[in-house]
Amino acid sequence: MTIGKIIDGKAFAEGLRAEVARGVAGFLASQGRTPGLAVVLVGDDAASAVYVRNKGKMTVAVGMESLEFRRPSATTQEELIELVEELNGDPAVDGILVQLPLPDHIDDKAVIATIDPAKDVDGFHVVNAGRLAVGEQALVPCTPLGCLMLLKDELGDLSGLEAVVVGRSNIVGKPMAQLLLNENCTVTLAHSRTRDLASVVHRADIVVAAVGRPEMVKGEWIKPGATVIDVGINRVPAAEEGKTRLVGDVATAEAASHVRAITPVPGGVGPMTIAVLLRNTLVAACARAGIAAPQGL
Ligand code: NDP
């Protein structure tokens, strides 16, 4: 049986981080300072704390400055907005990331709207979403930009290809569809109300699944030779009692026999997200300094 290629997102992300590290060294040489990434964590969500710790380590590993701001879950929206405003005004800060989810009493949208769009390295501010939509230079959300990098590395020119994105969230599905449209794909954005999802997915040369439902996209839905990017991260019970394992939104074992290429979970899209965050921070720092970002980033 022929098996499609398993895309090694971990290796690609390592390469991207190495490129960012070279760019940071160049930035230091020309500007006399390192780019700075500020991460704000409110509350004590365990998964967020692990994610923030990893971001901090990787930020330092590429030679950037990592600034962490931990605040208790009782922090008010006004206090958080005040902190973001301080970071907006701090010349040592090039990127601001407010870790989501925020506690229920804080309106995510109000906080994100306060971030200076030039420092919005998550690309969630409406100004950046709007720039992406009209095809202007923007800071683009990290996960979909990482998916696009993997697709271009695998397929080269995407022009004219039929792409189906399943999931329409503001942080993954919608920006993913915009990015693919900007690459001249013919894009379908599917969601929970889509009729006959199986036949919609079957049209695609490129399938991006960002749903959050374990192995929902079946192997038989996928056209032979298609390239599949599985964004989903779902924890399910493992064979061993009491243990869990991670699976994506695609039934990878069923699909692998006839796809051209597919990302695994874990080790596919996941590692790309932080690497692109570091890339976005360097790009933001270069733009703020009025210099060109290193080529190829
Ligand atoms: P959301 O919950 O915000 O969005 C899920 C989307 O899936 C919605 O648009 C929803 O449609 C759609 N959907 C739900 N059920 C179905 C269905 N039965 N058929 C078709 N579409 C459906 O999730 P996110 O976009 O934030 O995340 C998606 C997945 O990606 C999650 O597993 C998440 O953990 C993972 N993720 C991974 C990242 C990484 O770094 N690798 C980063 C971010 C997310 P509707 O709008 O109609 O409700």
Side-chain angles (χ1 to χ4, degrees), residues 49-70:
V50 171
Y51 195 44
V52 165
R53 203 162 46 240
N54 285 341
K55 278 177 191 165
K57 275 192 206 152
M58 291 196 184
T59 305
V60 171
V62 295
M64 290 189 199
E65 191 174 358
S66 168
L67 303 132
E68 262 181 50
F69 297 85
R70 289 173 184 255

Side-chain angles (χ1 to χ4, degrees), residues 148-266:
L148 184 73
M149 287 177 180
L150 294 177
L151 281 168
K152 286 173 85 167
D153 184 58
E154 179 58 32
L155 298 171
D157 184 12
L158 307 183
S159 183
L161 295 179
E162 192 87 40
V164 172
V165 179
V166 191
R168 57 174 164 180
S169 72
N170 289 334
I171 63 170
V172 189
K174 277 185 205 155
M176 187 74 245
Q178 285 294 347
L179 285 167
L180 291 165
L181 191 59
N182 293 351
E183 295 295 324
N184 299 313
C185 290
T186 302
V187 181
T188 303
L189 186 48
H191 45 78
S192 66
R193 311 288 176 89
T194 298
R195 284 192 208 148
D196 195 5
L197 185 59
S199 61
V200 171
V201 168
H202 201 71
R203 293 205 296 261
D205 304 305
I206 293 171
V207 179
V208 181
V211 181
R213 290 179 183 259
E215 302 187 324
M216 189 198 81
V217 175
K218 303 299 172 207
E220 68 197 33
W221 297 8
I222 292 163
K223 182 168 80 173
T227 298
V228 181
I229 303 290
D230 190 352
V231 183
I233 302 178
N234 309 289
R235 200 164 274 287
V236 297
E240 200 182 330
E241 216 187 300
K243 296 260 161 115
T244 58
R245 66 191 175 97
L246 291 182
V247 297
D249 289 343
V250 180
T252 312
E254 294 170 16
S257 60
H258 59 281
V259 293
R260 169 177 169 147
I262 187 165
T263 56
V265 177

Side-chain angles (χ1 to χ4, degrees), residues 78-89:
E78 290 67 32
E79 285 166 338
L80 186 56
I81 285 180
E82 213 171 289
L83 171 60
V84 170
E85 281 167 347
E86 270 172 38
L87 297 172
N88 283 344

Side-chain angles (χ1 to χ4, degrees), residues 88-103:
N88 283 344
D90 184 340
V93 171
D94 297 288
I96 302 171
L97 182 148
V98 178
Q99 184 65 44
L100 301 178
L102 289 169

